[in-house]
Structure formats: structure tokens, C-alpha cells
Amino acid sequence: MRKCLLWLLAATLVVAMAMPALADVNISGSYRLRGVYYEPGAPDTNLSFYDNRLRFDITAKVSDNLTMFIQADSGLGYDGHEETNPLANQDSYDGILSQHYGADRDTSTHAHDIVFQRAYFKYDSPIGTFQVGRQWAFWGKGMLISMNRNRVKYVYKQPGYFLGCGLDKWNEARDKADITKINGVSMPLLDDTGDLDHYFAFGSFSNLVEGLTWSPWFGFIHGPGSKTEDYDVYYTSQALKYVMDKWAVNIEFDYKWGNSQQDPKVKVRQYCIGADASYDLDIAKVGAEFAFFSGESAADKNRNVDRKSKTFHSSYWYAPFVIFGELPIGPELLGPDGDSTKAGIGGSHHELANCYYFKVYATVSPIENLEVTGAIGYIQADEARAIVDSVTGKYVDTGADNMGWEFDLIGTYKITDNLSYTVVGGYFTAGDYFDKYNASSGNVVREQESDDAYVLLHQIQINF
């Protein structure tokens, strides 16, 4: 019944759009061409490639109250999978169908996909704004979630605050055994029993104190779990923003709890906190940032369980450095959470997890149309990296918790109002956390040290 109601609402908006002529259509977008050279810190391993992305943004004002928005990306023949391009993410040409957010694709047949990142209707009414379709799910600093999802959202705005709520599909027909079949053919869209549904409520309250904005967010994900307990995960995100004169400060705290897997049942206990502050010196903007992501408890390492379920994973989008948080590092090509890669260069997890970091940065404009940003940061694991003992099958500590230092330099030159050229350089002094280890009967041996990692990226982008 719920799906029927959602379909009815969407169909109503489609009919409403078709009735009047499209009097106001705006098309904009960008074309980006990148070249990358990357040395991941593994001996005799490097990667060089180029990619390109064509993006169209289409806004159609159907009436005074109804607007349609579409965003479409094309990689123009480059498959973008992580084995060949670890910089691919859900905001690139590979879009929502990348390995992180969809089924693996056959690159030989899908290299020319056009991905519709977002497509939704927006209806403004006297009682609030309704949005239906694939939308950008983002809040705060982006540590908790950052993804395009099919959702229905309602927002009520007043001077000084707004409130909203909504529903989206976290997963469609997750439990394959419960999918409705017609003439032997699976019809997941006709069955709710296997879905993961995401319900959320949010708000923003500005000027509670002069210059201060508070943005709370609450969510609940529900679906089938094990035979005795459902998949129920709750979370909250609390963000504060303070802007006064030349100061800007952001603080965000995220916490998740509940049951996250089918069998065996896994309790979720995850949290993180992030904060940044910047000051405008007129000649330069300087700032600092800190974040902490919870790790596992020592007891978890004595059991052969999926340790990642106890670890906070930030969204794939959130990466505070050029290398760390975005690219795999070390002789085992590990992601920043210590996971081994699935295949080739690309990593299975690039999200920040089980660590804390701090960085300082400065942005200057030495000449007209040129902006240069430099950043220095240090990263350390919340707890020492653990690996599986080849004899006992249990997790044992390596004693390695130093992830390393990163030095970044980014320069962007504005050639014209709609054409810019950017050069990005990052150097990472990989710590012992990324070395290659082996464990047998409780004895841990470091087999190979990581080399330092570095990346050089340059891109040209035109906006139209």
C-alpha cells in the first residue's frame, strides 16, 4: 500500500507537469577533463590515467508552484571502475552505479552509460515544499551520509527556522526469499517485505544566539533481519555553525545504534565528532580541522567476527585530504580503515574509520584569478590495527597505529569566468599502520614496509 501511495503521488505530479507548456527551461552544466598520476606506496606500483565527465543540469519551471530538476552525467566511454581509477565516486561519471552504491557493471557493455544523478519534482504550496524523486541526501559536514536516493521529502520554512521529514528506499527487496513472483518472474517492486526503509526528520534553527545555527537530524532504517530480530538502525546528527565577522566555526556529532545485519546479529555502536574553524586575515584565510571516528573495543578483536560492523564509516564523499580518505595506501593497498582491496589498485573501502586526524590549512590569492591552498595534517588509528591469526583464526593486534602525515597543495587559476585550470599535489608519509603484517600463533611479523604515497592531478573545467 505504501508503494502504491508513493506511485500515486509521483503520477499526480507528472500529470500536473504535462498540462501546461514548459514555459521556462534552463540548461547548464560542465565538462571536466582530468589527468592523474598516483604512487600508492606499494613497491613498483603506480597508476596514471585520465578521465572526463560531461554533466547537464536541467531545470524546468512548469508553473508558479511546480519545478522539475534533472542532473545527468556521462563518462564518455571511460568505465570509471576503481580497478582502473580509484578516484571514481558517486559524484563522478560513474555516478550512482559505482561499486559502492550498486551492482558491479560489465565495463565492456556499459562504458558509455549516462547516469541520472538526480531527477525530482519540487512543489511549493502554502503549507510547505514537497520533493519527490532521486535527490541528494546530505547534511552537516557530510560525515554521516552523502548519497543520491529515491525519496519523498517535505520541508516547512519560516523566517529563522525550517522543519522537514521524509522517506527513502535504503534498499529495495533486500530479502530475496520474500520477493513477490508473477509467473515465476521476480517482481521486487510489488513487495515491501524485503525492503529497507529510511525514515528521517530534520530541522535548522538560526540566530538562537547571534551568528549561531543549530541543525539536528534524526533517522531510522527498518527492514527484515534475522528470524528473531529485525534490521533496525537509529542515528542522530547534531551540527552547530557559528559565523561572526571574520570567524567561521562548524561542529558536528553523529551517533548510530541498533542491529545492522541478518545473521549473525550485530549490534551497531558508532560515533564521530568533527570540528573546524577558520579566520579571514584579508591577505589569507587560515583554519584548522579535527575529527574522531570511533573504533572497535578490545573484546571484539578476540572473536572471529566482522569487525567493520563495530567501526564508524564516514560517507564515501567525505575526504579531508587529497590522499587519505580517498585513495588506497601501502603494500597491501589498504583503505584508511585497514581493509584489503578487492582487486587491482582500487580499494573496497575508502571511507574514514577507526581513526582521528587534525590538519591546518591556509588559502591565499597571490595574483588576480589565482587561488592557492596548502594543508598539513596528521592521522592516527583510534586503536592499533588488528589482523587475523593464520593458526587461531582470531584477531591479534599488530601494535601499529601511526597512519602518517599528509602535505597537500592545490592551485586553481581562473582563465575566464567559466573556464578554470586546477593542479593538485598530495604527499603522504605512510606510517606503520599500512605496512604488511603476518600473524601465526600470536606472533606478529612485519613483512614489508610501505613506501610514501603521492599523487599529482591536473584538470581543466568549463562551465556553461
Side-chain angles (χ1 to χ4, degrees):
M1 177 60 70
R2 181 180 65 254
K3 288 185 177 180
C4 291
L5 291 176
L6 295 179
W7 286 357
L8 179 60
L9 178 58
T12 301
L13 290 174
V14 171
V15 172
M17 188 199 76
M19 292 178 64
L22 293 179
D24 187 2
V25 177
N26 181 62
I27 300 177
S28 60
S30 63
Y31 177 69
R32 183 189 71 190
L33 181 65
R34 297 191 300 183
V36 180
Y37 180 84
Y38 175 50
E39 165 58 60
D44 301 322
T45 303
N46 58 69
L47 177 66
S48 60
F49 62 91
Y50 80 92
D51 61 31
N52 60 106
R53 184 195 70 189
L54 177 64
R55 167 171 289 179
F56 285 99
D57 293 323
I58 303 172
T59 303
K61 189 172 181 60
V62 183
S63 65
D64 291 339
N65 303 99
L66 184 63
T67 304
M68 177 182 67
F69 178 77
I70 297 174
Q71 183 178 79
D73 287 356
S74 173
L76 299 179
Y78 193 86
D79 60 83
H81 276 196
E82 291 185 356
E83 294 91 303
T84 50
N85 181 357
L87 289 177
N89 59 46
Q90 84 279 11
D91 192 36
S92 67
Y93 41 80
D94 205 26
I96 57 175
L97 298 181
S98 69
Q99 293 183 27
H100 285 274
Y101 299 115
D104 291 348
R105 301 188 301 161
D106 181 355
T107 59
S108 64
T109 59
H110 293 277
H112 298 271
D113 278 357
I114 296 177
V115 177
F116 288 89
Q117 299 274 17
R118 292 182 286 172
Y120 62 86
F121 292 103
K122 177 182 176 183
Y123 182 77
D124 296 311
S125 75
I127 61 172
T129 299
F130 297 87
Q131 289 186 193
V132 180
R134 193 163 192 85
Q135 303 166 53
W136 179 239
F138 167 80
W139 59 85
K141 292 171 64 63
M143 293 190 295
L144 190 60
I145 185 173
S146 175
M147 190 185 301
N148 297 295
R149 292 200 181 277
N150 298 320
R151 60 172 38 186
V152 177
K153 184 173 72 174
Y154 166 76
V155 180
Y156 177 75
K157 293 184 178 181
Q158 287 293 319
Y161 75 93
F162 65 82
L163 299 170
C165 60
L167 162 69
D168 61 41
K169 306 303 294 184
W170 201 264
N171 202 355
E172 193 79 39
R174 183 171 184 265
D175 187 354
K176 303 302 182 183
D178 292 333
I179 295 176
T180 298
K181 291 187 176 182
I182 297 178
N183 296 326
V185 179
S186 297
M187 302 294 291
L189 293 179
L190 301 181
D191 200 316
D192 290 339
T193 56
D195 295 352
L196 289 182
D197 297 318
H198 174 213
Y199 304 88
F200 56 90
F202 59 94
S204 182
F205 304 87
S206 58
N207 295 324
L208 299 175
V209 176
E210 186 179 2
L212 182 67
T213 300
W214 171 47
S215 300
W217 195 296
F218 304 91
F220 168 50
I221 306 167
H222 173 73
S226 65
K227 294 181 179 179
T228 58
E229 194 158 3
D230 285 339
Y231 181 114
D232 292 324
V233 173
Y234 305 84
Y235 69 85
T236 182
S237 173
Q238 304 291 322
L240 292 173
K241 180 178 182 179
Y242 176 76
V243 178
M244 181 61 67
D245 296 329
K246 297 182 179 182
W247 280 101
V249 180
N250 294 280
I251 302 174
E252 180 181 330
F253 174 76
D254 301 328
Y255 183 70
K256 295 194 289 187
W257 70 98
N259 305 314
S260 67
Q261 294 191 5
Q262 291 184 351
D263 190 22
K265 180 183 67 177
V266 175
K267 293 288 187 181
V268 177
R269 299 182 301 275
Q270 307 172 347
Y271 63 95
C272 71
I273 185 169
D276 68 81
S278 63
Y279 185 78
D280 191 346
L281 295 171
D282 294 331
I283 61 172
K285 181 180 179 181
V286 297
E289 184 174 348
F290 167 84
F292 170 80
F293 300 85
S294 65
E296 301 84 3
S297 65
D300 293 328
K301 297 174 182 176
N302 297 323
R303 299 195 303 269
N304 191 5
V305 298
D306 181 4
R307 298 171 65 250
K308 294 184 294 180
S309 62
K310 301 291 196 301
T311 306
F312 188 97
H313 281 255
S314 70
S315 68
Y316 186 69
W317 175 88
Y318 183 71
F321 294 97
V322 173
I323 299 177
F324 183 75
E326 189 165 358
L327 297 171
I329 304 166
E332 295 180 288
L333 295 177
L334 300 175
D337 58 0
D339 285 346
S340 297
T341 61
K342 290 181 179 178
I345 292 293
S348 59
H349 287 281
H350 296 173
E351 305 97 325
L352 297 182
N354 184 36
C355 68
Y356 61 87
Y357 76 87
F358 73 86
K359 74 173 181 179
V360 292
Y361 63 90
T363 300
V364 297
S365 182
I367 62 174
E368 187 178 3
N369 296 332
L370 176 63
E371 184 175 270
V372 179
T373 298
I376 302 174
Y378 175 75
I379 309 101
Q380 182 165 319
D382 176 33
E383 296 187 8
R385 180 177 157 204
I387 61 174
V388 177
D389 192 298
S390 61
V391 175
T392 66
K394 295 182 179 179
Y395 285 99
V396 294
D397 283 343
T398 62
D401 61 2
N402 174 27
M403 290 184 165
W405 290 82
E406 179 158 336
F407 306 86
D408 297 332
L409 188 63
I410 303 171
T412 299
Y413 183 72
K414 188 177 180 181
I415 302 172
T416 66
D417 288 341
N418 61 347
L419 180 65
S420 62
Y421 177 72
T422 300
V423 177
V424 178
Y427 189 89
F428 186 81
T429 61
D432 58 3
Y433 185 90
F434 295 102
D435 294 344
K436 186 176 182 179
Y437 296 90
N438 203 347
S440 177
S441 300
N443 297 317
V444 178
V445 177
R446 183 168 60 180
E447 296 183 340
Q448 185 178 349
E449 294 185 8
S450 292
D451 294 334
D452 293 344
Y454 58 90
V455 63
L456 175 64
L457 178 151
H458 64 103
Q459 77 173 37
I460 190 165
Q461 177 167 317
I462 183 170
N463 299 314
F464 55 85

